[in-house]
């Protein structure tokens, strides 16, 4: 019997009811939407943010955050060489220069020593992403940014619901971003949000987006489907975390060329959009992906490294060896596969572990 991978996005009675209520109340056609306001309040509470601004995508949230941080032509922004490529492009879009740093050996975020070594008088901001269920060293990065007068943009687009020492991911940066893209654990097809608890930054965002109508809006219908998902997020994340731990344990017991890189550190409650698996070589990684595809498992390559980007496009003040290695060895299992029945975990690991 094939492994049953739950469809995504989920369709539940609660989501259907929320959409129906939005339509029947005509809230879907209003500028001032009660549905959107209710979602904002829910996000403020869940992520412990004073201000929440909904927008059209996670990438737009990064761009708006960079602008709110004061990034402009000639500035520099520090970012990991192993990160979502859209972050690199947003920096370039503003006429600023990405400064590439290496990946931490403890997680998939920027290495704190590399960030410190990348300091210059032109650095304005740092983007730090929580990737593959792992929390980056966000508290230390915040301290370093405060010491240098930099703005920390915490990219939580792939980690909604993660908690770090009992605080939600998205509550550490001067700014934080969320994504509600079609494949995300919180999905409205498209959409995003910017979070901050800084009054001045919030005022800058309002000044940029209110013209006077919202320049990068999320619709009321999109907001309506997010609220029910947010209320179920902790429960869904607990299931994903449980299955990730079982995959980690099962692959460890097998003579497998794959290592499951589940988040296991104390004080971290993971939130998986993708679960990372590391192969011994690029060839094995590619074979694992091909074999998994034959079994209709949602798996693909991880991010490519930006380390080979031209020196004209970016500054590279430190070696980027870990970023290069990860780009060649990592494959990632979609969060849908972490919602399978526990009885299917062994078979899934047999497929992954014997390419």
């Amino acid at each position: 019997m094939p492994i049953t991978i739950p469809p995504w996005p989920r369709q539940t009675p609660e989501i259907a009811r929320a959409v129906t209520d939005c339509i029947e109340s005509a809230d879907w056609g209003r500028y001032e939407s009660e549905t959107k306001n209710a979602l904002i309040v829910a996000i403020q509470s869940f992520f412990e943010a004073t201000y929440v601004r909904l927008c059209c995508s996670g990438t737009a949230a990064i761009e708006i955050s960079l602008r709110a941080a004061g990034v402009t032509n000639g500035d520099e922004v520090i970012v990991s060489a192993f990160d979502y490529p859209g972050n690199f492009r947003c920096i370039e879009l503003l006429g600023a220069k990405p400064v590439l740093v290496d990946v931490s050996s403890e997680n998939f975020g920027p290495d704190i020593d590399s960030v410190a070594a990348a300091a210059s008088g032109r650095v304005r901001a740092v983007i730090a992403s929580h990737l593959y269920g792992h929390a980056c060293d966000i508290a230390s990065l915040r301290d370093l940014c405060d010491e240098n007068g930099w703005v920390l943009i915490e990219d939580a687009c792939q980690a909604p619901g993660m908690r770090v020492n009992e605080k939600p991911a998205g509550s550490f940066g001067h700014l934080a971003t969320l994504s509600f893209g079609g494949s995300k654990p919180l999905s409205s097809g498209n959409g995003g949000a910017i979070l901050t608890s800084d009054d001045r930054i919030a005022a800058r965002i309002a000044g940029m987006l209110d013209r006077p109508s919202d320049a990068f809006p999320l619709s009321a219908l999109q907001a309506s489907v997010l609220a029910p998902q947010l209320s179920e997020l902790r429960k869904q994340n607990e299931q994903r975390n449980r299955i990730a731990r079982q995959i980690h344990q099962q692959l460890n017991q097998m003579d497998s060329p794959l290592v499951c890189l589940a988040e296991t550190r104390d004080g971290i409650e993971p939130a998986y959009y993708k679960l990372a698996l590391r192969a011994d070589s690029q060839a094995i990684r590619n074979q694992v992906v091909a074999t998994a595809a034959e079994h209709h498992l949602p798996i693909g390559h991880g991010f490519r490294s930006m380390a080979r980007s031209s020196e004209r496009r970016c500054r590279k003040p430190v070696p980027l060896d870990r970023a290069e290695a990860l780009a060649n060895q990592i494959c990632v299992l979609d969060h849908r596969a972490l919602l399978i029945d526990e009885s299917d975990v062994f078979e899934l690991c047999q497929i992954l572990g014997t390419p």
Side-chain angles (χ1 to χ4, degrees), residues 43 51-71 77 84 86-91 93-94 125-129 151-158 170 174-181 184 190-196 201-202 204-206 208-209 211 214-218:
I43 292 174
Y51 301 99
V52 172
R53 187 69 188 238
L54 304 175
C55 63
C56 56
S57 72
T59 299
I62 288 289
E63 179 185 335
I64 294 162
S65 294
L66 288 166
R67 292 184 186 278
V71 173
V77 178
Y84 177 59
N87 292 349
F88 186 102
R89 292 167 188 161
C90 282
I91 297 167
L93 177 69
L94 301 186
V126 175
I127 298 176
S129 299
V151 175
L152 176 60
I153 300 171
E154 182 182 5
D155 183 346
C157 289
Q158 295 201 14
H174 299 95
L175 290 139
T177 60
L178 301 174
S179 172
F180 308 134
K184 295 296 195 302
N190 290 291
I194 309 113
L195 319 179
T196 187
I201 289 176
R204 289 188 206 128
I205 293 172
M208 285 188 291
L209 300 189
R211 308 185 187 178
D214 192 341
F216 298 94
L218 183 83

Side-chain angles (χ1 to χ4, degrees), residues 19 51 84 108 150 175 178 185 249 300 307 330 336 352:
V19 172
Y51 301 99
Y84 177 59
F108 293 103
W150 303 334
L175 290 139
L178 301 174
Q249 293 165 1
I330 292 293
R336 290 178 293 136
L352 295 176

Side-chain angles (χ1 to χ4, degrees), residues 184-257:
K184 295 296 195 302
L186 288 175
S187 174
S188 58
N190 290 291
I194 309 113
L195 319 179
T196 187
S197 292
D198 186 296
D199 295 346
R200 291 176 298 176
I201 289 176
R204 289 188 206 128
I205 293 172
M208 285 188 291
L209 300 189
D210 296 331
R211 308 185 187 178
S213 59
D214 192 341
F216 298 94
L218 183 83
S219 75
L221 280 171
Q222 288 174 303
S224 72
V225 304
L226 288 166
Q229 294 178 66
L230 186 61
S231 66
E232 290 290 314
L233 183 60
R234 285 194 176 96
K235 179 180 176 182
Q236 293 288 315
N237 280 345
E238 286 172 2
Q239 181 176 353
R240 294 185 184 102
N241 295 344
R242 184 169 60 253
I243 297 298
R245 288 193 298 269
Q246 292 178 12
I247 293 172
H248 176 81
Q249 293 165 1
Q250 186 67 48
L251 287 177
N252 277 350
Q253 294 169 8
M254 297 169 57
D255 183 18
S256 170

